[in-house]
Every structure is written in C-alpha cells, then in structure tokens.
Amino acid sequence: MKSRSRLLWLGAAAALLAAECYGQTGSGIPQLRKQGTATQLVVDGEPFLALAGELGNNTATSLENMETVWPKLVAGNLNCVLAAISWAQMEPEEGKYEFALVDGIIDGARRNRLKLVFLWFGSWKNGLSSYAPYWVKRDYQRYPRIKVNDGKSIELLSTFGNATRDADARAYRALMRHIKEVDGRRHTVLMMQVENEVGVLRDTRDRSAAANQAFAGPVPKELIGYLQQHKDTLIPELREVWGEHGFKTSGTWEEVFGPGKPDSFVLPIQTQSPPMSKEEHDSAWRKLRWPADEIFMAWNYARYVGKVVEEGKAEYNIPMFVNGWLQQPNHAWPGTYPSGGPLPQVHDIWRAGAPAIDALAPDLYLEYFDDVCARFTRNGNPLFIPETSATPGNVMSAFGKYGAIGFSPFFIERSAAADTELAAAYRVVSRLAPAIAAQQGKETITAVRMNQGDALLPVRLGDYTLNLSYIGRGRVPIAPEPAAPGQQRPQAAPTQSAVQATAILIAAGRDEFYFGAGAGGLRIAFTPITPGAPLVGLGDVQEGEFVDGKWRVIRQLGGDDTGQGEILSLRPNEALRVTVYRYE
C-alpha cells in the first residue's frame, strides 16, 4: 500500500509539474459552456461577456504603433480586443517562427487589463491570400492557387493544396504551443479566430484540375452520413435543396445537390445587375444559388480549416471559431461573396466537415441585424460577432436577446473614446454583466427596440407583463391628472430629438428585475400575470452596478424618478435594479 501511495503521489506531482511547465491549469482555461439556448464563454470558472473591438488589419503589426492604441481601448470601456497575427510575419522563413510581436501584444493587453482574441491570418484573409508568407506565395507549384472561369489563376490559395494546408496547420500549431507556454496560466488569450472570411471570389467554385476532378466525383460518405443522421434538424435552406433532388445518398455533387453555375456565365460584381430581377434581388440573399458549387466549396474549406483547428487544439484547447463574409442583397450569389464560407445556409456542411470548430461567426454590417443573429443561432450555434459596426443598440440585442458571447466593432481604434454612445452602451452592459450572464439562454431575459411613435409594447417577463413606451432622450412624466373645470391641463415636458430606444430586460427573481438602457429611454408599467392582488407598485429602485459579483447602489431613486412609485422611467444609458410588489 505504501508503494502504491508513493506512486500515486509521484504521478500527481509529475502532472502538476507538467502543468507548471506548460502554463496550463486545466479547468481554468477559457472554454464554452451551454446555458439554456445560449453558449457562454467561461474564463477562470466565470462567464465572460466580451465587450470588444477588432483592430484594423495591420494595426497590431508593430508594438510601437500599439502604444497609442491601448489607451483608446481602455477609454472606450472595452474589456477585450481582437488583434490579427499574420502568418507571413510569424514565419518569415519556412520553419523559423518569430513570437516577439505575439508576446508584446499579450503583455500590452495585460498592462491595460484587457483580454485578447487573436485572429490567425493564415492561408486566407477576406477570401484572398495576401497574408501568406512570401515563401508560400512564390512557390505556386507546391502551394497552388484556385482557378476561376476560363482557368485563370488568382491570388487565392486552393483548398486542394495539401502542402499548403499542412504548412498552415504546422505554423498554427506552433503558435498555439507558444500561447499555451506564455499564457496558459494567465488566460489573457480567450479565443482564436482561424483564417478570415474564407471562400472563392469571382466564381462560384475552384475550377482547377484537382477541384474539377473532385466535383465530378461522388459526394464523400462522411458528408452523406452526417446529412442522414441529422436529416430532421438540418438548416431549412440546405434540407430544401437536398429534398428537391430526392434526398439522394450517393452521387456526384450536382446529382445530390443540383446544378452548379454554367461555365458560360460570368458573375457580375454585384447581383443587382441584370439578369437578376428585383424580386430575386430582394430575396436571394437568404437562399442557395447554384447549390452544388457552394456546398462543394463549403465542404472543402471546412475540411482544410478543420485540420488547422485540430492541430492547434492538440497544443492548447481553447475556443476557436471561423468568421463569414455575409451574403447580402447586392452580393447574393456565391462568388460575389466568398463561396463556401461559414454562412447560415451551409452551417451543417461546416459542422460535418470541421467538428473541432466551436462557433461559426458573422461579420455583421447589414441592417438586418436581428435577422442575421437569429440565423446564426440556429441549431445551437454560439453567437460571437467579431466584426460589426459600432451601433450601440445592437449591443443590447446581442447580449440580451441572442445570448452573445461578444460584440466587436471593426477598426475600433478609429472610434474608441470615452464620450461615445458605444462606450456608454458597454458601460451599461458591464454594470449588469453578472445579471445578464446568469439569465442568458433563459426566458427571463430579452432585449427590445422602440422608435418614436411606436405603439405600447407589452413584454412578458417572469410573473409580469412589462408595458413599454418610448421616451427617447428626453423625460416624459406620467400622464397628469385631468384638469379641473376652467383650468388648463399641464403640458408634458419637451423631449429631445428622436433616437431609437433599446434596453436589456432581466427578471432575476419573482419580484426582482434588472434593466439597462441604450441611448434612448423607456417608460415601464407593470401588470401581473399570475393570480393575486391586481395592482403593482415599485419597491426599491436603485441605479447601480455589480462590483465583484455584488450589487453596489449608486443612487436610490423615488418620487418623480419612479412616477411616485407607479411607473418606472428607464433613462438613457442607465442600469437599474428594481423590485416590485402587489397590492389592492
């Protein structure tokens, strides 16, 4: 027994020593965790809401350049920054890696109390290959390009170059090994984006000899097996295409998924050009066009990127995602947007081809923000928005309605400042972060948008219906009592110019709520849903914030600020804790 105990102790000591050497503490490393319908990023055992921003593509290529950037990010209330790592800069000569820049960015983030998401600009960036090393670019025999239309090569590495895939994967694995060594204990680096906006541009698919041979061959059994296994839950667009062709379980890509683009048709730059009709222009951005081509490329990109991810995770298994350049009204056909990227209509193809990838993420600049979020959260896909515009109202919707892991405007160093509406929205979310995280994925949290002139909006939350009305930036008091005979009715206080009102609404308990407002304000009246006394009064109304997980009161509100205890005014950029009670 003594000998066995000693062996167990030695084994435990060796494991601890290995963890110290590699800088990894096991369960404390960043990971994803399901909560209801949402997926959360958990860091050191606690949910983390990434109030982030993505730097310009080349901003983090110099530590000197970053010195003026860090203070802007802190002033803008960010807690996380997305920064690119260029394969060309990290591996300027084959097999020789340079990590000084990576270490400097990690150190800069730590000094400024920020977390990091690194973007691996490897084989592809914006659908092309400008960040691949010089030694890859010049050896086009070993690292082949795709061919489009009449067989013309473009500067876009082919997914059919196994040597390219393996070189990319080796470099990425070396990067993850290094990140683990320098950050496995500190957890500054939370996630990795692998490649950037992959897909074929200027044509619907790769038309190189290797690609043509694969396209004319059978659909891989692994993909058919996945489709059969998940037939009842496939993304509707994909299931419809497969069903239209008889749910075939064997055949070529065109036999199983329908025709590809005719060789004679050359894509326009924008699909608003003829021959697309106006009706098709308005609806085609949600559909598969020439499905066999896009599905074929999605499978091949997924297999390639999935291999890179697997190699990286073998060294340091933190969450890894891929991002997509979205299909949109003026770019509705594959090839006018990168064909084969991780878009909603081919999410199942990516899941089948690259199961190691943790999330498929939208670069979301479209006005259809809620529509895209809804499509990207189907079948449990975690929502992380690595690129978007700095629209503060979308912050509330992302975290409150769609259970987002993070929100990240692009080129953040151009707009980050203390006096912006984005900074104010981030401050509100930060103040309520524990309450938001506790309810994400449940029916006890939502977000709303209202515009001036909107009708009363009833929202059912917990045991109450919240009746919301718009007050914008100004203050609208509760309706005054009717004027006495012969007297004039008092006039409402004037309001400022109209702005969209957005808010996160949280039911934290039976009679407890947290509310956070964006740039516009709301008026909230409560009516009970469950049996009991019919009237509702406001109990404690507190402006405040969470500090170290505990609510800290900044101001206790009453009187005019609470409609004399009857109706709540949620003012712009305000975070409140509210309790209610019932009476008759």
Side-chain angles (χ1 to χ4, degrees):
M1 291 296 292
K2 244 180 174 181
S3 175
R4 175 175 169 77
S5 297
R6 180 174 175 75
L7 286 172
L8 289 172
W9 182 87
L10 288 172
L16 179 61
L17 181 60
E20 289 287 336
C21 290
Y22 284 102
Q24 185 165 350
T25 58
S27 61
I29 69 171
Q31 56 190 287
L32 298 182
R33 183 176 69 194
K34 291 290 292 184
Q35 177 173 280
T37 59
T39 300
Q40 296 180 313
L41 174 62
V42 177
V43 183
D44 295 320
E46 297 293 332
F48 182 84
L49 304 181
L51 305 173
E54 181 175 327
L55 300 174
N57 296 331
N58 303 306
T59 301
T61 57
S62 158
L63 296 181
E64 180 182 1
N65 188 60
M66 283 298 297
E67 286 306 309
T68 61
V69 172
W70 295 116
K72 296 178 183 178
L73 307 181
V74 174
N77 292 327
L78 277 72
N79 62 14
C80 183
V81 60
L82 278 63
I85 298 174
S86 162
W87 182 13
Q89 200 167 9
M90 197 196 84
E91 192 181 7
E93 296 181 49
E94 186 172 4
K96 294 183 179 180
Y97 304 116
E98 297 183 0
F99 296 116
L101 183 61
V102 174
D103 293 346
I105 298 300
I106 292 174
D107 179 65
R110 288 174 180 167
R111 284 189 284 109
N112 290 278
R113 304 183 71 178
L114 293 167
K115 297 296 187 180
L116 275 169
V117 174
F118 275 132
L119 317 178
W120 173 240
F121 288 180
S123 295
W124 299 292
K125 164 71 176 77
N126 292 104
L128 297 172
S129 299
S130 62
Y131 285 84
Y134 178 56
W135 53 269
V136 169
K137 291 179 178 179
R138 69 188 179 195
D139 192 349
Y140 57 87
Q141 297 288 349
R142 186 179 174 195
Y143 308 112
R145 296 348 184 231
I146 72 160
K147 294 184 184 293
V148 297
N149 299 318
D150 57 358
K152 177 184 176 182
S153 294
I154 63 174
E155 187 56 280
L156 199 170
L157 292 165
S158 174
T159 60
F160 292 91
N162 290 344
T164 320
R165 178 202 63 202
D166 293 344
D168 190 331
R170 279 194 303 271
Y172 183 68
R173 182 164 187 158
L175 172 64
M176 295 312 299
R177 183 187 308 121
H178 183 79
I179 291 174
K180 177 182 176 182
E181 289 169 353
V182 300
D183 193 55
R185 291 172 60 83
R186 298 284 294 274
H187 309 150
T188 307
V189 181
L190 305 184
M191 297 195 296
M192 300 292 296
Q193 178 183 293
V194 185
E195 314 297 345
N196 179 272
E197 297 183 343
V198 303
V200 178
L201 286 168
R202 306 177 199 175
D203 205 342
T204 52
R205 68 171 178 87
D206 187 349
R207 297 179 191 273
S208 63
N212 287 341
Q213 182 179 358
F215 188 70
V219 177
K221 292 181 180 179
E222 304 99 304
L223 177 53
I224 292 294
Y226 179 96
L227 297 177
Q228 289 179 295
Q229 183 180 353
H230 298 87
K231 183 177 179 181
D232 294 336
T233 57
L234 291 175
I235 295 297
E237 302 96 291
L238 178 63
R239 193 180 192 280
E240 180 181 347
V241 164
W242 187 30
E244 285 176 351
H245 298 88
F247 293 112
K248 290 187 179 72
T249 57
S250 64
T252 67
W253 293 88
E254 289 190 309
E255 288 170 344
V256 175
F257 299 115
K261 181 183 74 65
D263 293 341
S264 59
F265 183 78
V266 178
L267 283 175
I269 294 174
Q270 296 193 38
T271 53
Q272 65 184 5
S273 305
M276 179 178 274
S277 67
K278 183 181 185 306
E279 181 181 358
E280 189 175 8
H281 172 264
D282 293 342
S283 62
W285 69 277
R286 304 171 188 230
K287 299 178 181 179
L288 280 155
R289 174 74 178 228
W290 302 303
D293 291 354
E294 185 168 6
I295 292 168
F296 172 72
M297 290 314 308
W299 173 256
N300 285 288
Y301 276 107
R303 298 297 285 176
Y304 185 116
V305 179
K307 171 66 173 175
V308 177
V309 169
E310 288 171 5
E311 291 293 312
K313 286 199 166 194
E315 294 293 342
Y316 190 31
N317 188 8
I318 61 175
M320 299 182 188
F321 66 91
V322 293
N323 65 320
W325 170 341
L326 295 181
Q327 183 184 23
Q328 51 201 282
N330 287 352
H331 301 279
W333 291 347
T336 61
Y337 62 89
S339 178
L343 273 64
Q345 62 267 25
V346 290
H347 273 185
D348 284 307
I349 307 300
W350 274 82
R351 291 190 184 98
I357 294 173
D358 294 294
L360 309 170
D363 287 353
L364 210 177
Y365 299 99
L366 302 184
E367 60 182 297
Y368 319 103
F369 183 88
D370 288 77
D371 193 330
V372 173
C373 287
R375 295 181 78 206
F376 266 84
T377 50
R378 293 181 297 186
N379 288 356
N381 182 57
L383 181 63
F384 183 76
I385 305 173
E387 286 189 39
T388 189
S389 54
T391 305
N394 290 345
V395 176
M396 302 298 174
S397 287
F399 290 108
K401 190 172 183 180
Y402 299 104
I405 290 169
F407 184 93
S408 176
F410 179 60
F411 231 135
I412 189 63
E413 65 272 29
R414 288 184 173 178
S415 59
D419 59 352
T420 65
E421 289 189 350
L422 179 69
Y426 274 7
R427 185 184 303 111
V428 169
V429 173
S430 178
R431 286 177 170 177
L432 294 177
I436 294 169
Q439 306 301 328
Q440 276 188 326
K442 304 177 184 178
E443 294 182 351
T444 47
I445 184 171
T446 191
V448 295
R449 300 175 188 263
M450 293 194 76
N451 297 304
Q452 189 171 33
D454 284 353
L456 193 73
L457 176 64
V459 175
R460 184 167 178 153
L461 199 66
D463 289 343
Y464 297 87
T465 295
L466 281 56
N467 298 291
L468 309 177
S469 55
Y470 173 94
I471 61 174
R473 293 187 190 274
R475 176 184 173 192
V476 176
I478 64 171
E481 294 295 324
Q487 293 184 341
Q488 214 174 18
R489 184 181 176 124
Q491 297 297 308
T495 64
Q496 298 179 27
S497 59
V499 65
Q500 187 178 68
T502 60
I504 294 177
L505 313 174
I506 304 165
R510 182 176 178 182
D511 298 310
E512 180 183 18
F513 296 86
Y514 290 94
F515 301 123
L522 295 167
R523 185 176 179 228
I524 307 175
F526 297 80
T527 56
I529 297 171
T530 55
L535 302 177
V536 180
L538 300 178
D540 287 321
V541 179
Q542 302 164 341
E543 183 182 1
E545 62 184 346
F546 280 94
V547 178
D548 297 327
K550 294 183 179 180
W551 181 251
R552 182 178 76 86
V553 179
I554 297 173
R555 288 194 307 157
Q556 186 82 24
L557 303 179
D560 293 340
D561 289 316
T562 63
Q564 311 305 325
E566 294 180 341
I567 297 178
L568 180 71
S569 290
L570 177 62
R571 309 204 193 290
N573 306 317
E574 193 171 53
L576 299 181
R577 175 185 176 270
V578 177
T579 60
V580 298
Y581 61 91
R582 295 170 64 170
Y583 67 98
E584 59 183 19

